[in-house]
Amino acid sequence: MTTERLSCHDAQELSGRTDPGRARGSSLRAGRSEACGERQRAGWSDAGLFVALSLVVMAVARVPSLTYLDYGFGLLIVYALGALSVNVIFHYLGEMNLSAIAGLAVGGYIYAIALSHGMVAPVGFLLAVLGAGLFGCLMGLPNLRLHGIQLALVTLAAAWALPDLIGAMGSVTGAQRGMTVASTFSVAGVTITAGSWSFVILATIVLIVLGLLLGAGLRTALGRRLLLVSGAEPASQAFGMRLGAWRIAIWGASGILAGVAGCFYAVSSGFVGPSEFSFQTSLLIMAAGIVGGAGWLGGAVIAGAFIGLLPDALSSMSGGAEYILLGALIVVAIAIGKGGLFGLLHAQVSRVRTGRRSKLRVAQRPDSPRQAVSEEKRVAVVAPSIFKVDVGRPGEVAPKVRQPLVTVERVSLRFGGVQALSDVSLQLAQGEWLALAGPNGSGKSSLLNCISGAYIATGGHIVIGMNEVTREASALRGRMGIARTFQTPRLAAGLSIAENVWLGGATRSVVGDRVRGSQAVWTAVHEALDEWDIERYADMRPANVPYGARKQTELARLSVRAATASSRLFLMDEPAAGLSPDEREELVNELRTFRLKHAGVAVIIVEHDVQLLGQLCDSAVVLESGKEVAHGSFADVFASDAVVLSFIGREDCE
């Protein structure tokens, strides 16, 4: 243990021993290991299956009865790599790429052109891969503004226009005549011919290496952070990610895989021409990526091989039977979800295993009531009856000398002719909790968005520490220590609850930090799971847990950020929204525990529940129609006539 890197299970055992009051026995620690180990084990089993299937394809390619060996094996490799190319975009961005065939064409043509100019095969291959990667980056530019069906139509247009573009560049591409490609080339002094045993081995090695590199990327901190880009963009920005750059990078990686596939296609067929890169072929490759399932390497090989051989297998049937079957497969895969058919199969197997472990865990797990929170002194606020709130002041956690952490000076925000904010100012010290209150439409969330960088203020100044960030992007502010929650939880649907919480400590990790290897972060994760009472959901996906647990997951992620010193300022946007009265009471106790544990963190809370705010906050700012109504200590603000009138109106007040 002292000389070897701690495993995920070891880290969780240490986290269970950190606080004796939270130790719940070996059965709970075993359950915790599943939280971070299930997807890890799935990743390794998927990688193993991917390698095994690739070797099977290699063996099948040498079966003497295959009369179309040269072309057939190359086609299997092309579709497997093409499926991986589509898979990257579908997995991380949730987008449909209908122009995968264009990447293959770019790779194949650049390789053919390079050889025609006397370049050796390895140099031509390198140029083709780089060119296809650059083309992928260019195809990703529309994704900075367009999403969903609009982006799919753009990629469809690119694939549709490809043959005409090739014809228009006839002096380089040979127009409709196409270009011949030598089927024999040399690598490190070894002569390789398409269809030979050496070609089969080389193609299989390339497929396995690229697939394993992609699979390893899925299990890094970066890979899991990128899953926030799909469906949780505001959260990814709050984590300090430059969305535009990462979108382009993902499209570039997809282009590189397509370029490799294009090179193998050119060598296998011995020819590149417009007819070789038809729109129908693009649909086949897209279908392979979707049916195989997002993020599943083995699924890409299975779907790629199956769909690659589908046209030949059904060629004797009339009426386009292969496309009818293909369409049915796509419909079924989309209905199942991003996991595809392979993901569905794995989910069923995992459900059986998890069900058996859950029954054993329930039988062995001892009763363990949550750690009680000590009752604190309460002071009634002098206010009209509707504003009688209990104020819990954990004053012992506030430092005697508190330096300004956030300064908002006369901030304004305008959307066209709508003035959302007008000259709003506030100042927040380290360790201070501030309530941001007001009726609906008063500008509370707009002010949070201005502080976090989701909106850029049209006037005024925002200073974090000693740095003015008024015009800075949200990603930079996230790296400076600002973190937030949202009215609707923004979680990565493809990760477990534990992994979503873990993302709170992965903000500064890029490639080298794997899920199972970060002991300190996982220790903080399991403490946070206990602190927010969601450890029973640790190995479940967000879609399968109650709404309140998803809200608590975002708050637990903040606990991890605080524990790992990743953030100094937290913005909580209606943390109690959608919760029952009992859940609200529990939330107050959890937030009190959070404040006692992380005394140096400043918090701004937007909430309509004044009773809840009164038990947590030191000061308050009340807004109405984008303007500041009152600002000061919580008791003074909610005892003022202006605030009473703002909330309940003049006639009711009288």
Side-chain angles (χ1 to χ4, degrees):
M1 286 290 294
T2 58
T3 59
E4 298 178 357
R5 193 175 186 180
L6 289 174
S7 66
C8 180
H9 180 73
D10 296 329
Q12 290 152 10
E13 286 192 337
L14 289 178
S15 70
R17 296 169 185 166
T18 301
D19 185 351
R22 295 187 184 276
R24 304 192 178 186
S26 59
S27 61
L28 178 56
R29 288 196 294 272
R32 285 172 163 182
S33 67
E34 295 169 9
C36 63
E38 182 63 29
R39 180 64 178 173
Q40 185 76 4
R41 289 191 296 271
W44 284 118
S45 62
D46 178 41
L49 179 61
F50 167 74
V51 173
L53 290 173
S54 300
L55 296 177
V56 169
V57 170
M58 181 180 70
V60 169
R62 301 307 299 167
V63 175
S65 60
L66 291 180
T67 58
Y68 58 101
L69 177 63
D70 295 2
Y71 182 75
F73 177 71
L75 200 62
L76 295 183
I77 294 294
V78 165
Y79 277 102
L81 288 170
L84 290 176
S85 173
V86 172
N87 204 309
V88 169
I89 296 176
F90 189 48
H91 180 58
Y92 284 123
L93 302 180
E95 306 286 2
M96 297 288 186
N97 179 22
L98 300 178
S99 64
I101 193 64
L104 270 75
V106 170
Y109 266 102
I110 292 179
Y111 181 78
I113 293 170
L115 294 186
S116 68
H117 284 76
M119 296 184 186
V120 296
V123 174
F125 179 83
L126 179 61
L127 291 176
V129 171
L130 293 177
L134 178 59
F135 176 80
C137 293
L138 293 176
M139 289 301 302
L141 290 177
N143 198 197
L144 299 179
R145 296 290 183 182
L146 302 178
H147 306 281
I149 187 63
Q150 294 176 323
L151 180 64
L153 290 175
V154 171
T155 61
L156 171 63
W160 195 272
L162 179 63
D164 293 331
L165 179 62
I166 293 175
M169 301 175 62
S171 60
V172 178
T173 62
Q176 299 302 322
R177 301 186 308 274
M179 303 179 65
T180 59
V181 180
S183 59
T184 301
F185 56 94
S186 297
V187 177
V190 178
T191 301
I192 298 176
T193 303
S196 66
W197 184 242
S198 57
F199 177 78
V200 171
I201 294 177
L202 175 64
T204 305
I205 290 175
V206 171
L207 175 62
I208 290 176
V209 169
L210 291 178
L212 291 181
L213 286 175
L214 178 61
L218 300 178
R219 291 188 294 276
T220 60
L222 174 61
R224 278 162 170 76
R225 288 175 63 196
L226 287 176
L227 288 178
L228 280 173
V229 178
S230 175
E233 289 189 9
S236 60
Q237 288 178 319
F239 273 71
M241 297 179 63
R242 295 184 176 92
L243 289 185
W246 283 117
R247 285 187 178 277
I248 298 299
I250 291 171
W251 278 87
S254 174
I256 289 174
L257 290 170
V260 175
C263 290
F264 279 107
Y265 184 85
V267 174
S268 298
S269 62
F271 174 80
V272 290
S275 60
E276 302 295 306
F277 303 103
S278 64
F279 178 67
Q280 289 81 356
T281 305
S282 185
L283 290 180
L284 289 172
I285 293 175
M286 184 203 70
I290 295 176
V291 172
W296 294 107
L297 304 178
V301 175
I302 294 175
F306 174 74
I307 293 177
L309 297 175
L310 189 62
D312 287 322
L314 301 180
S315 59
S316 60
M317 302 178 64
S318 60
E322 67 271 19
Y323 293 105
I324 295 176
L325 178 58
L326 179 64
L329 284 174
I330 294 176
V331 170
V332 172
I334 292 178
I336 292 173
K338 288 182 65 175
L341 297 178
F342 191 84
L344 176 64
L345 176 62
H346 182 272
Q348 296 301 322
V349 175
S350 297
R351 185 174 290 112
V352 173
R353 293 177 178 175
T354 303
R356 293 174 180 174
R357 287 194 296 264
S358 298
K359 292 179 180 179
L360 180 62
R361 194 185 314 156
V362 170
Q364 294 180 347
R365 181 170 179 173
D367 295 333
S368 53
R370 301 190 60 209
Q371 187 176 11
V373 179
S374 60
E375 203 60 34
E376 301 170 2
K377 296 181 179 180
R378 302 187 176 196
V379 181
V381 177
V382 180
S385 58
I386 194 171
F387 285 115
K388 287 183 179 178
V389 297
D390 293 332
V391 183
R393 293 284 190 271
E396 67 275 13
V397 304
K400 295 181 179 180
V401 179
R402 299 184 296 179
Q403 299 297 325
L405 180 61
V406 183
T407 300
V408 176
E409 182 180 354
R410 301 180 63 83
V411 164
S412 299
L413 179 66
R414 177 181 290 273
F415 298 104
V418 178
Q419 189 73 36
L421 295 172
S422 180
D423 295 335
V424 177
S425 300
L426 62 86
Q427 192 173 78
L428 193 65
Q430 183 178 359
E432 181 181 357
W433 284 46
L434 181 143
L436 192 57
N440 288 328
S442 60
K444 304 183 298 297
S445 294
S446 295
L447 182 57
L448 282 195
N449 287 331
C450 286
I451 296 174
S452 67
Y455 296 160
I456 300 299
T458 54
H461 302 277
I462 300 174
V463 179
I464 307 297
M466 301 296 293
N467 303 308
E468 180 164 350
V469 297
T470 310
R471 312 298 300 177
E472 300 294 345
S474 177
L476 177 61
R477 304 189 198 193
R479 292 192 295 273
M480 292 178 62
I482 299 178
R484 64 171 300 179
T485 65
F486 300 86
Q487 293 182 13
T488 302
R490 303 300 181 99
L491 305 175
L495 299 180
S496 67
I497 292 297
E499 288 172 324
N500 270 284
V501 174
W502 172 85
L503 286 171
T507 54
R508 299 188 183 278
S509 301
V510 181
V511 176
D513 184 14
R514 292 197 173 198
V515 170
R516 62 179 296 180
S518 181
Q519 173 202 347
V521 174
W522 272 112
T523 300
V525 166
H526 292 304
E527 289 179 355
L529 291 172
D530 282 344
E531 179 181 338
W532 294 94
D533 196 26
I534 53 175
E535 71 277 1
R536 60 187 178 278
Y537 305 118
D539 56 349
M540 300 174 64
R541 300 292 178 88
N544 300 325
V545 304
Y547 179 79
R550 295 199 293 272
K551 299 280 284 187
Q552 289 173 310
T553 299
E554 281 200 325
L555 294 169
R557 195 158 60 190
L558 296 188
S559 294
V560 174
R561 296 202 68 171
T564 57
S566 299
S567 293
R568 299 175 295 163
L569 171 64
F570 291 155
L571 311 176
M572 299 182 183
D573 197 351
E574 300 191 21
L579 302 184
S580 66
D582 291 340
E583 289 175 328
R584 285 172 177 256
E585 182 178 354
E586 182 180 3
L587 175 64
V588 170
N589 291 332
E590 289 168 335
L591 287 173
R592 283 180 168 180
T593 302
F594 175 87
R595 181 170 187 179
L596 290 169
K597 187 174 182 180
H598 308 291
V601 173
V603 176
I604 299 177
I605 303 182
V606 171
E607 185 55 62
H608 292 283
D609 189 338
V610 180
Q611 184 79 15
L612 181 149
L613 293 175
Q615 298 178 69
L616 296 170
C617 299
D618 306 299
S619 56
V621 173
V622 176
L623 302 178
E624 183 177 13
S625 300
K627 297 180 180 179
E628 182 180 314
V629 175
H631 182 192
S633 68
F634 190 92
D636 293 340
V637 165
F638 281 92
S640 66
D641 293 339
V643 172
V644 174
L645 293 176
S646 175
F647 272 83
I648 65 176
R650 183 176 300 276
E651 294 182 359
D652 291 337
C653 181
E654 292 175 354

